[in-house]
């Protein structure tokens, strides 16, 4: 694997995370429990899609086959996606959506903070811009997790259930492989395993305030970020997200 | 209004915490568009507490770069004049034209005031 091949994989991982989560969150548009949350979720989804344009745009450049961010988003099939499994999990109830958001935002904010020091100026610039958005996402999802976790018996039970369900998908974000080793050596991106301590501290603090119990297991579902095996949910998501370009190839507006 | 816990009859009220409300209060939102201008009322929204009201205001009312500062105040905390008091409150000033500073000659050099 050349450095550019590894760099391309790294950029796909960043861009596919934000693309798939952005699409998932956008599924709430018009359905959220209150108007204010509906707008806030739509804003988050739009931020994530905006970040996708930057990551996948750069991925297309690095790949050097003349592909645009749109080409990469809409014309790849499930096995070519490199997002972690966490972000493709279905929304479930509002609590599970916000728990998934929080578990991802926490990792995302730590990752982007490290990427600001990337030796690749383009990566550092994207991280700088996305970092501000994600700082807000984390504040919002963290506060909501605390509010619902430390809320009524009903909301507490739902948030604990969401955490129990999603926790096995957290470990994959800290998995490392040859791509990560290459990126770390080039000074482009940190080794993901090095983010775990900060993550555990941050997540532990918020979940303690939310009176929620972190499951006592480090078992992790894997296979998303290396593309070995996604969950069955990704294909269903893509049929919706990519439908227009599949039915009307090259359609523009 | 029904009792505060009607929607969740099985949820016990604990003694040491204030009773939980099941509808979010209404907040009035004020945004300052630019430094130097004052905050203007832009609308209202629902939120569980002041902090979330600020966040919701950020998401609902500053999406197009409208603001540099947000105030929120619970609508309940605003004391408003009553429309039925319009007569006694405002009519007495109608006949007092001398309260308007329109009887001065402004020198041209001053320009628009």
């Amino acid at each position: 694997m050349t450095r550019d091949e590894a760099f391309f994989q790294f950029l796909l991982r960043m861009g596919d995370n934000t693309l798939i989560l952005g699409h998932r969150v956008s599924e709430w548009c018009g359905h959220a429990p209150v108007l204010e949350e509906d707008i806030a979720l739509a804003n988050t989804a739009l931020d994530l899609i905006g970040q996708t344009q930057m990551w996948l745009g750069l991925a297309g450049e690095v790949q050097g086959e003349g592909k645009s961010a749109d080409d990469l988003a809409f014309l790849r099939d499930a096995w070519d996606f490199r997002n972690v499994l966490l972000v493709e999990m279905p929304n479930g109830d509002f609590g599970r959506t916000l728990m998934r958001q929080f578990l991802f935002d926490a990792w995302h904010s730590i990752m982007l903070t490290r990427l600001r020091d990337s030796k690749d100026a383009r990566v550092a610039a994207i991280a700088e811009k996305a970092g501000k958005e994600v700082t807000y996402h984390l504040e919002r999802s963290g506060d909501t997790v605390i509010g619902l976790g430390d809320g009524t018996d009903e909301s507490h039970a739902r948030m604990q259930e969401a955490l129990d369900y999603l926790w096995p998908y957290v470990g994959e974000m800290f998995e490392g492989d040859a791509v990560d080793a290459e990126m770390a050596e080039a000074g482009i991106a940190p080794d993901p395993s090095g983010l775990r301590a900060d993550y555990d501290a941050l997540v532990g603090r918020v979940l303690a305030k939310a009176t929620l119990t972190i499951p006592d297991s480090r078992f992790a579902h894997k296979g998303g970020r290396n593309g070995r095996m996604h969950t069955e949910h990704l294909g269903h998501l893509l049929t919706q997200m990519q439908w227009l370009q599949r039915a009307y190839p090259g359609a523009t507006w | 209004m029904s009792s505060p816990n009607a929607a969740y009859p099985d949820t016990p009220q604990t003694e040491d915490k204030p009773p939980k409300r099941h509808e979010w209060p209404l907040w009035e939102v004020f945004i300052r568009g630019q430094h130097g201008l004052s905050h203007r009322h832009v609308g209202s929204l629902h939120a569980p507490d002041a902090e979330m009201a600020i966040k919701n205001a950020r998401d609902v009312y500053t999406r197009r770069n409208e603001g540099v500062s947000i105030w929120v105040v619970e609508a309940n905390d605003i004391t408003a004049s009553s429309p039925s008091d319009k007569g006694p409150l405002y009519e007495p000033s109608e006949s007092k034209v001398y309260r308007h500073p329109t009887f001065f000659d402004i020198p041209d050099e001053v320009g628009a005031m």
Side-chain angles (χ1 to χ4, degrees), chain A residues 34-37 39-44 46-47 132-133 136 139-140 143-144 150-154, chain B residues 8 10-12 17 20 22 24 26 44-48 51-52 54-60 63:
Chain A
V34 294
L35 181 66
E36 289 80 357
E37 289 298 335
I39 296 175
L41 284 170
N43 285 348
T44 302
L46 285 170
D47 285 349
K132 292 191 189 99
E133 295 170 347
Y136 180 74
E139 224 177 88
R140 182 164 193 111
D143 278 1
T144 311
D150 188 20
T152 63
D153 287 352
E154 168 89 21
Chain B
Y8 300 88
D10 298 333
T11 307
K17 287 183 181 174
K20 295 216 158 66
H22 294 293
W24 291 349
L26 185 69
S44 49
L45 47 73
H46 290 90
E51 254 177 58
M52 282 310 287
I54 292 271
K55 288 199 173 70
N56 286 345
R58 179 261 192 200
D59 277 319
V60 176
R63 303 182 74 225

Side-chain angles (χ1 to χ4, degrees), chain A residues 54-73:
Chain A
M54 298 190 283
W55 289 124
L56 293 188
L58 183 52
E61 237 175 80
V62 169
Q63 188 191 25
E65 294 179 10
K67 286 191 180 143
S68 68
D70 282 345
D71 293 337
L72 290 171

Side-chain angles (χ1 to χ4, degrees), chain A residues 186-232:
Chain A
I188 293 176
D191 184 348
S193 63
L195 311 180
R196 185 78 205 223
D198 283 1
Y199 184 86
D200 285 340
L202 170 60
V203 167
R205 210 163 48 235
V206 170
L207 293 179
K209 269 198 208 166
T211 70
L212 296 171
T213 311
I214 297 178
D216 186 22
S217 163
R218 284 260 172 145
F219 169 75
H221 293 290
K222 292 173 185 171
R225 71 195 298 276
N226 57 24
R228 197 173 48 79
M229 199 195 307
H230 282 277
T231 67
E232 70 271 30

Side-chain angles (χ1 to χ4, degrees), chain A residues 30-242:
Chain A
H31 300 279
V34 294
L35 181 66
E36 289 80 357
E37 289 298 335
D38 201 289
I39 296 175
L41 284 170
N43 285 348
T44 302
L46 285 170
D47 285 349
L48 291 169
I49 299 300
Q51 294 170 18
T52 304
Q53 286 180 321
M54 298 190 283
W55 289 124
L56 293 188
L58 183 52
E61 237 175 80
V62 169
Q63 188 191 25
E65 294 179 10
K67 286 191 180 143
S68 68
D70 282 345
D71 293 337
L72 290 171
F74 296 116
L75 301 178
R76 282 179 300 152
D77 212 335
W79 46 77
D80 292 324
F81 276 79
R82 294 292 179 265
N83 57 282
V84 290
L85 301 178
L86 175 69
V87 298
E88 69 196 44
M89 298 314 285
N91 286 336
D93 60 16
F94 181 73
R96 188 184 284 178
T97 293
L98 264 295
M99 181 60 79
R100 183 188 61 200
Q101 192 67 35
F102 169 67
L103 293 173
F104 180 77
D105 288 344
W107 172 85
H108 204 194
S109 75
I110 295 167
M111 184 63 164
L112 290 174
T113 305
R114 303 283 179 92
L115 287 178
R116 280 184 211 174
D117 300 326
S118 172
K119 281 192 184 151
D120 187 287
R122 297 165 297 180
V123 170
I126 296 173
E128 175 73 31
K129 183 167 190 299
K132 292 191 189 99
E133 295 170 347
V134 171
T135 299
Y136 180 74
H137 297 172
L138 176 62
E139 224 177 88
R140 182 164 193 111
S141 62
D143 278 1
T144 311
V145 164
I146 292 171
L148 292 173
D150 188 20
T152 63
D153 287 352
E154 168 89 21
S155 71
H156 176 85
R158 282 176 185 247
M159 293 313 276
Q160 186 63 52
E161 205 183 318
L163 179 59
D164 294 348
Y165 180 79
L166 293 170
W167 190 251
Y169 295 93
V170 163
E172 191 190 5
M173 295 189 284
F174 305 97
E175 188 199 354
D177 59 12
V179 171
D180 299 298
E182 183 69 29
M183 289 298 94
E185 199 189 308
I188 293 176
D191 184 348
S193 63
L195 311 180
R196 185 78 205 223
D198 283 1
Y199 184 86
D200 285 340
L202 170 60
V203 167
R205 210 163 48 235
V206 170
L207 293 179
K209 269 198 208 166
T211 70
L212 296 171
T213 311
I214 297 178
D216 186 22
S217 163
R218 284 260 172 145
F219 169 75
H221 293 290
K222 292 173 185 171
R225 71 195 298 276
N226 57 24
R228 197 173 48 79
M229 199 195 307
H230 282 277
T231 67
E232 70 271 30
H233 307 297
L234 181 64
H236 292 273
L237 182 151
L238 294 183
T239 57
Q240 293 217 337
M241 191 181 82
Q242 299 181 331

Side-chain angles (χ1 to χ4, degrees), chain B:
Chain B
M1 264 183 65
S2 53
S3 74
N5 228 10
Y8 300 88
D10 298 333
T11 307
Q13 295 289 342
T14 44
E15 294 286 318
D16 50 335
K17 287 183 181 174
K20 295 216 158 66
R21 283 185 291 196
H22 294 293
E23 248 180 48
W24 291 349
L26 185 69
W27 301 79
E28 299 299 336
V29 180
F30 300 82
I31 290 182
R32 182 162 75 191
Q34 292 171 37
H35 289 291
L37 296 183
S38 49
H39 286 72
R40 276 187 54 194
H41 184 237
V42 294
S44 49
L45 47 73
H46 290 90
D49 57 34
E51 254 177 58
M52 282 310 287
I54 292 271
K55 288 199 173 70
N56 286 345
R58 179 261 192 200
D59 277 319
V60 176
Y61 291 113
T62 68
R63 303 182 74 225
R64 297 175 188 87
N65 217 7
E66 290 94 337
V68 296
S69 166
I70 301 174
W71 286 351
V72 293
V73 58
E74 218 181 306
N76 271 341
D77 294 334
I78 293 181
T79 308
S81 63
S82 159
S84 60
D85 286 344
K86 220 171 81 182
L89 277 179
Y90 308 118
E91 269 171 36
S93 67
E94 272 176 21
S95 56
K96 300 179 175 63
V97 286
Y98 50 84
R99 288 184 181 171
H100 296 270
T102 52
F103 301 100
F104 303 96
D105 288 327
I106 311 284
D108 288 341
E109 301 84 70
V110 172
M113 275 187 76

